[in-house]
Amino acid sequence: MKKSVGIVVEYNPFHNGHKYHCIKAKEHGDVVVAVMSGDYVQRGEPAFIDRWTRAELALKNGVDIVVELPIFYSTQSAEIFARGAIGILNLMNIEKLVFGSETGDVKKLIERGDLEEQKEFKVELKKQLKEGHSYPTAYSNTLKILDKTDELDSNDILGVEYIKALKFWKSKIEPIAIKREKSGYYSEEIKDGIASATGIRKKIQSGEEIKDVVPDTTYEILKESLEKNSFAKLQDFYPFIRHRILLEKEKLERIQDIEQGYENRIYEAAFSCKEFESFFEKIKSKRYTQGRVQRILIHILLGIEKKQIEKVKEKIPYIRVLGFTKEGQNYLKKLKDEEVEVLTSLKNIQKYLEKDSLDLLEQNEVASKIYAMVNPYEDRKIPIIIK
Amino acid sequence: MKKSVGIVVEYNPFHNGHKYHCIKAKEHGDVVVAVMSGDYVQRGEPAFIDRWTRAELALKNGVDIVVELPIFYSTQSAEIFARGAIGILNLMNIEKLVFGSETGDVKKLIERGDLEEQKEFKVELKKQLKEGHSYPTAYSNTLKILDKTDELDSNDILGVEYIKALKFWKSKIEPIAIKREKSGYYSEEIKDGIASATGIRKKIQSGEEIKDVVPDTTYEILKESLEKNSFAKLQDFYPFIRHRILLEKEKLERIQDIEQGYENRIYEAAFSCKEFESFFEKIKSKRYTQGRVQRILIHILLGIEKKQIEKVKEKIPYIRVLGFTKEGQNYLKKLKDEEVEVLTSLKNIQKYLEKDSLDLLEQNEVASKIYAMVNPYEDRKIPIIIK
């Protein structure tokens, strides 16, 4: 069997930094398996471009297999996002996990993961959260108090979560941190043709040229969307979110990430605010940061409830393949009789999946239908195959 | 106290035929009280124009008091629509009910009402419905079998329901049928400046001139909407309806007018159809006629459930005044200490209304917020007063 390496991606959209990541990953294995967020991403937003187009870009730029990270993991906090992504890669029999990192120091990330699992860390973090701090602030305060003062950057924070997830799934996958020399995740700066996805989305929205920071294949595929300006944004979904808040008031407290009492604030803001901006201002706070609020709104839009997340945190319900290369196809053929269904088609899936998993898959497909109401795309029944 | 006369209206939009109806009503009393459908009408559609604009048109054209018929009555079958409208007029202490009628023969309508309440009629009707006929067909077949072969036209059918509702509420209101000489409810024909509301809506949508068939006041108010072409249509709400069907599958069977099994048909059609037209075609049938399907869709859009309708059929939860003239104001002042709250403002209503009624009122207001997401309008806190 070919040596395989796994990566966790969003490709929102695919850019030169991602290409570099792919090249680095290939140095560690023959087959690159990417777990990619579907139509909704971890920042709590609809993906800028639909899942199939993003899968195609990945396959044309060095990835061999793209599997979808379903909404139950993709729009969650870093911990659950990592839990799902690593859980899937683990079931895909990956040998190495290659991820971008500001420090490039796996040992340090492992230490941090261990620290976080210590009782005194958990106690202090809980205390900080109770005081009303947002998670990032509470986390950073906890580190300071425990005298481990160096804060991690966004990729390293995710790296720690990957490592904790590897431990959770009792995985043998070896984590490899590759140092990100270029611009950080949220930076808008461009250095030597590398910009962050956030930076690129902003450029596109303000009509700036992006040819230099994305591979030619990305540019070709984006061109059509660029001309139509058909990119999905969270605010485009506000009418749906608002309708749902107004009609499903009693369901709000069951929605993932909503803490007791917050449902009233959301309801009142939705009742009075016609515009997304004023609504969003009303529900943001020290405790409910932008990212968290955005994730909550996506959970409302898609009907993602706390009890569902509790379940999927313990067990991967299914794996769906969005596309593969010839190399990837050979790898998939050898991946038989694993503990979870690896779906390359949705035909007759009721034969392979249990009721709970079927329901989750259906909810993920419904989420894509909802996505396509704002950013229309042709859904596919079978994977993309790149020869 | 002034002699008062009640009318049941939708004014979707107000036209010369409505004006004629008003003039006729005034022949029977000094104060005209209109119960008017709010933002959603009996055909199972959003009102073409918002409730406040339509109330204003009514007050400028002979009506003295406009009260809102809430969604729990306004988007229902003729029976429940009439039950609510007459229930409200009864509580408003009206002496006479003046309604348009093709026959103009109240005696005949009373006889028909009595017939419908006989056991043999009910048994046969039920049998016809069980055979899969739509309500109108089952009704007409039942009449034929019981040898009362003359079918009634739409206004007379509603007239029979008014009369049955008067009986239900043990009302002393005297029903008066005024013969509609001109074009019928659904006719698109224009005779001497009178066209039906349906005809007028079609004309507006195809860009035809409507000046001749509406009072000048209507025309003035419509002009702005005509220029912006801002009229609400059911298909504009399809994205919301579809989102709700996809996410609230398990709630569908509780929705008013949905019979067992139909929820699956609706879900499957919504899952596969991006466009309203194809969706609608898939869910129509002999049993589920256009009007009924439209009402069901509005119930889904607004979350109107069977158990709610069972309750409001027995008791009017509140009465909300949308506007009045000087004459109307005097009448309202004398209407104290009735069995139901007559609200002229929504301020401090929690003092006057019970929890159940408050919930219903809130749901009706949410329905208007949803309406305004497609057809934006400025909501009012206090009634329109025309001196």
Side-chain angles (χ1 to χ4, degrees):
Chain A
M1 207 162 176
K2 293 261 188 184
K3 277 202 191 293
S4 53
V5 49
I7 58 179
V8 182
V9 302
E10 298 213 296
Y11 294 160
N12 190 33
F14 193 96
H15 57 61
N16 289 347
H18 296 131
K19 180 119 196 168
Y20 173 80
H21 179 208
C22 259
I23 292 166
K24 283 290 179 191
K26 278 259 157 148
E27 291 174 5
H28 295 275
D30 313 301
V31 182
V32 175
V33 181
V35 181
M36 185 188 80
S37 297
D39 284 330
Y40 299 86
V41 298
Q42 209 256 326
R43 286 162 59 90
E45 288 179 337
F48 213 46
I49 306 164
D50 73 87
R51 53 183 175 172
W52 297 106
T53 307
R54 280 156 47 240
E56 191 182 340
L57 288 174
L59 296 168
K60 285 187 171 161
N61 283 285
V63 172
D64 294 297
I65 301 172
V66 180
V67 297
E68 180 173 4
L69 185 64
I71 49 167
F72 320 102
Y73 303 115
S74 74
T75 66
Q76 307 298 323
S77 66
E79 186 197 352
I80 303 168
F81 176 88
R83 181 76 70 85
I86 299 302
I88 288 172
L89 287 177
N90 190 45
L91 290 165
M92 297 282 293
N93 265 342
I94 297 314
E95 281 146 283
K96 290 170 182 177
L97 170 75
V98 175
F99 60 93
S101 150
E102 287 85 0
T103 60
D105 185 348
V106 168
K107 211 171 138 247
K108 187 174 177 177
L109 304 181
I110 292 173
E111 276 170 22
R112 178 60 54 87
D114 288 342
L115 175 67
E116 283 186 29
E117 282 172 349
Q118 278 167 30
K119 207 185 160 197
E120 56 175 330
F121 189 93
K122 285 183 184 168
V123 168
E124 183 57 39
L125 184 66
K126 214 169 180 176
K127 199 181 134 202
Q128 292 287 332
L129 286 171
K130 259 202 179 146
E131 284 171 14
H133 297 296
S134 70
Y135 188 88
T137 307
Y139 182 88
S140 138
N141 289 351
T142 304
L143 283 179
K144 273 178 207 145
I145 287 161
L146 298 181
D147 210 17
K148 304 256 180 184
T149 43
D150 49 340
E151 281 182 44
L152 296 178
D153 283 324
S154 53
N155 284 281
D156 277 335
I157 290 173
L158 216 41
V160 171
E161 295 300 340
Y162 293 150
I163 285 164
K164 283 161 66 186
L166 287 171
K167 216 165 163 183
F168 176 85
W169 296 113
K170 300 183 178 62
S171 172
K172 287 176 200 151
I173 297 174
E174 177 197 349
I176 297 168
I178 52 165
K179 206 164 155 67
R180 286 180 71 133
E181 304 281 359
K182 310 290 172 178
S183 69
Y185 198 75
Y186 290 102
S187 157
E188 286 167 51
E189 202 184 347
I190 297 187
K191 289 178 192 157
D192 306 331
I194 299 195
S196 70
T198 308
I200 293 172
R201 291 197 300 277
K202 285 198 182 165
K203 279 187 184 298
I204 288 173
Q205 284 174 286
S206 64
E208 285 175 64
E209 186 54 74
I210 55 156
K211 214 175 167 117
D212 287 348
V213 292
V214 298
D216 290 347
T217 39
T218 303
Y219 192 74
E220 282 309 310
I221 289 175
L222 282 182
K223 231 164 63 181
E224 205 187 324
S225 300
L226 281 166
E227 277 158 19
K228 290 187 296 180
N229 193 22
S230 62
F231 299 101
K233 290 171 283 296
L234 182 57
Q235 70 221 53
D236 302 334
F237 291 83
Y238 180 53
F240 295 104
I241 295 168
R242 186 172 180 225
H243 179 227
R244 208 164 147 70
I245 294 170
L246 292 177
L247 280 191
E248 298 295 329
K249 190 182 181 183
E250 80 288 352
K251 244 189 191 174
L252 285 177
E253 58 178 351
R254 279 145 55 188
I255 292 293
Q256 168 70 358
D257 281 332
I258 291 186
E259 284 171 45
Q260 218 203 340
Y262 191 59
E263 68 273 15
N264 299 320
R265 186 161 167 181
I266 290 182
Y267 179 80
E268 278 150 30
F271 196 86
S272 63
C273 299
K274 290 179 199 172
E275 307 299 337
F276 179 70
E277 290 69 23
S278 49
F279 167 73
F280 200 78
E281 273 312 308
K282 277 201 176 170
I283 61 172
K284 258 198 312 187
S285 70
K286 197 169 73 163
R287 190 179 184 89
Y288 286 91
T289 55
Q290 174 160 348
R292 184 162 178 206
V293 171
Q294 291 189 167
R295 282 196 285 273
I296 287 175
L297 297 182
I298 294 288
H299 299 333
I300 294 172
L301 176 71
L302 308 179
I304 299 176
E305 300 190 358
K306 290 168 186 166
K307 60 176 182 198
Q308 296 183 301
I309 301 303
E310 285 315 307
K311 276 190 196 167
V312 295
K313 269 178 85 172
E314 305 299 323
K315 190 172 176 276
I316 304 293
Y318 66 86
I319 294 178
R320 183 172 185 197
V321 179
L322 295 179
F324 44 76
T325 59
K326 189 93 193 138
E327 195 79 62
Q329 190 166 30
N330 293 333
Y331 185 82
L332 282 171
K333 275 182 193 154
K334 288 173 194 154
L335 254 194
K336 289 280 168 204
D337 302 317
E338 296 301 325
E339 330 163 26
V340 72
E341 245 359 284
V342 179
L343 306 166
T344 48
S345 149
L346 299 187
K347 217 173 155 185
N348 298 325
I349 46 170
Q350 53 281 5
K351 280 190 199 161
Y352 310 110
L353 294 184
E354 287 168 18
K355 174 83 172 63
D356 277 5
S357 300
L358 256 184
D359 285 349
L360 288 166
L361 177 84
E362 188 174 3
Q363 193 177 354
N364 190 69
E365 293 315 291
V366 159
S368 284
K369 299 258 176 221
I370 292 164
Y371 178 92
M373 290 205 286
V374 165
N375 193 26
Y377 73 84
E378 218 36 70
D379 213 354
R380 292 177 62 101
K381 299 257 179 285
I382 51 162
I384 296 167
I385 306 172
I386 303 275
K387 302 280 171 187
Chain B
M1 206 161 176
K2 294 262 188 179
K3 276 198 192 296
S4 54
V5 50
I7 57 180
V8 181
V9 301
E10 298 213 296
Y11 294 160
N12 189 34
F14 193 96
H15 57 60
N16 289 347
H18 296 132
K19 180 119 194 167
Y20 173 80
H21 179 208
C22 260
I23 292 166
K24 283 291 178 188
K26 278 260 158 148
E27 291 173 6
H28 295 275
D30 313 300
V31 182
V32 175
V33 180
V35 181
M36 184 187 81
S37 297
D39 284 331
Y40 299 87
V41 298
Q42 208 256 326
R43 285 162 60 92
E45 287 178 337
F48 213 47
I49 306 164
D50 73 88
R51 54 184 175 171
W52 297 106
T53 306
R54 279 154 49 239
E56 190 181 341
L57 288 173
L59 296 168
K60 286 187 171 160
N61 282 286
V63 173
D64 294 297
I65 300 171
V66 180
V67 297
E68 179 173 4
L69 186 65
I71 47 167
F72 319 102
Y73 304 115
S74 74
T75 64
Q76 308 298 322
S77 66
E79 186 196 352
I80 303 168
F81 176 89
R83 181 76 70 84
I86 299 302
I88 288 172
L89 288 176
N90 190 44
L91 290 165
M92 297 282 292
N93 265 341
I94 298 314
E95 282 145 282
K96 290 171 181 175
L97 171 76
V98 175
F99 60 94
S101 149
E102 287 86 1
T103 60
D105 185 346
V106 168
K107 210 169 141 251
K108 186 173 175 177
L109 303 182
I110 292 173
E111 277 170 21
R112 178 61 54 87
D114 288 342
L115 174 68
E116 283 185 28
E117 281 172 349
Q118 278 166 29
K119 207 185 158 194
E120 59 175 328
F121 188 93
K122 287 182 184 170
V123 169
E124 184 58 38
L125 184 65
K126 213 168 179 176
K127 196 180 136 203
Q128 292 287 331
L129 286 170
K130 260 204 178 144
E131 285 171 14
H133 298 296
S134 70
Y135 189 88
T137 308
Y139 182 90
S140 137
N141 288 353
T142 305
L143 283 178
K144 273 180 205 143
I145 287 160
L146 298 180
D147 208 19
K148 305 258 178 181
T149 43
D150 48 340
E151 282 182 43
L152 296 178
D153 283 322
S154 53
N155 284 281
D156 278 336
I157 290 172
L158 216 41
V160 171
E161 294 300 340
Y162 293 150
I163 285 164
K164 283 161 66 186
L166 287 170
K167 218 167 161 182
F168 175 85
W169 296 112
K170 298 185 179 60
S171 172
K172 286 174 198 154
I173 297 174
E174 177 197 349
I176 297 169
I178 52 165
K179 206 164 154 65
R180 286 180 71 134
E181 304 280 0
K182 310 291 172 176
S183 68
Y185 198 74
Y186 289 103
S187 157
E188 286 167 50
E189 202 182 350
I190 298 187
K191 289 177 190 159
D192 305 332
I194 298 195
S196 70
T198 307
I200 292 170
R201 290 197 301 276
K202 286 200 181 164
K203 274 183 187 303
I204 288 173
Q205 284 174 283
S206 62
E208 285 175 63
E209 186 55 73
I210 55 156
K211 215 175 166 121
D212 286 348
V213 292
V214 298
D216 290 347
T217 39
T218 302
Y219 192 73
E220 281 310 308
I221 290 175
L222 282 183
K223 229 163 64 182
E224 205 186 324
S225 300
L226 281 166
E227 277 157 18
K228 290 188 294 181
N229 194 21
S230 63
F231 298 101
K233 291 172 282 296
L234 182 57
Q235 69 221 55
D236 301 333
F237 291 83
Y238 180 53
F240 295 103
I241 294 168
R242 187 172 178 224
H243 180 225
R244 208 165 146 69
I245 293 170
L246 293 178
L247 280 191
E248 298 294 330
K249 190 182 181 182
E250 80 289 351
K251 241 187 192 175
L252 286 177
E253 59 178 351
R254 279 144 57 186
I255 293 292
Q256 168 70 358
D257 281 333
I258 291 186
E259 286 171 45
Q260 220 206 334
Y262 191 59
E263 67 274 14
N264 299 321
R265 185 159 167 182
I266 291 181
Y267 179 81
E268 278 150 30
F271 195 86
S272 62
C273 298
K274 290 179 197 172
E275 307 298 336
F276 179 71
E277 290 68 24
S278 50
F279 167 73
F280 200 79
E281 274 310 308
K282 277 203 175 167
I283 61 173
K284 259 197 316 186
S285 69
K286 198 169 74 163
R287 189 179 185 88
Y288 286 91
T289 56
Q290 173 159 350
R292 186 165 176 203
V293 171
Q294 292 189 168
R295 281 195 288 273
I296 287 174
L297 296 182
I298 293 288
H299 299 157
I300 294 172
L301 177 72
L302 307 178
I304 300 175
E305 300 190 359
K306 290 168 187 165
K307 61 178 182 198
Q308 297 183 300
I309 301 304
E310 285 314 308
K311 275 191 196 165
V312 296
K313 271 177 84 172
E314 305 299 323
K315 190 171 175 275
I316 303 294
Y318 66 87
I319 295 177
R320 182 172 186 196
V321 178
L322 295 179
F324 45 77
T325 60
K326 190 94 193 134
E327 196 79 63
Q329 191 165 29
N330 293 331
Y331 184 82
L332 283 171
K333 277 182 192 153
K334 287 172 193 154
L335 253 195
K336 290 277 168 201
D337 302 317
E338 295 302 325
E339 332 160 28
V340 73
E341 246 356 284
V342 179
L343 306 166
T344 49
S345 150
L346 299 188
K347 218 173 154 184
N348 297 325
I349 45 169
Q350 52 280 9
K351 282 188 196 160
Y352 311 111
L353 294 184
E354 288 167 18
K355 174 83 171 67
D356 277 5
S357 300
L358 257 183
D359 285 349
L360 288 167
L361 178 84
E362 189 175 3
Q363 193 177 355
N364 190 69
E365 293 316 289
V366 159
S368 283
K369 299 260 177 218
I370 293 165
Y371 177 92
M373 289 204 286
V374 165
N375 192 27
Y377 72 84
E378 218 35 71
D379 213 355
R380 293 177 61 101
K381 299 258 180 283
I382 52 162
I384 296 167
I385 305 172
I386 304 276
K387 302 281 171 185

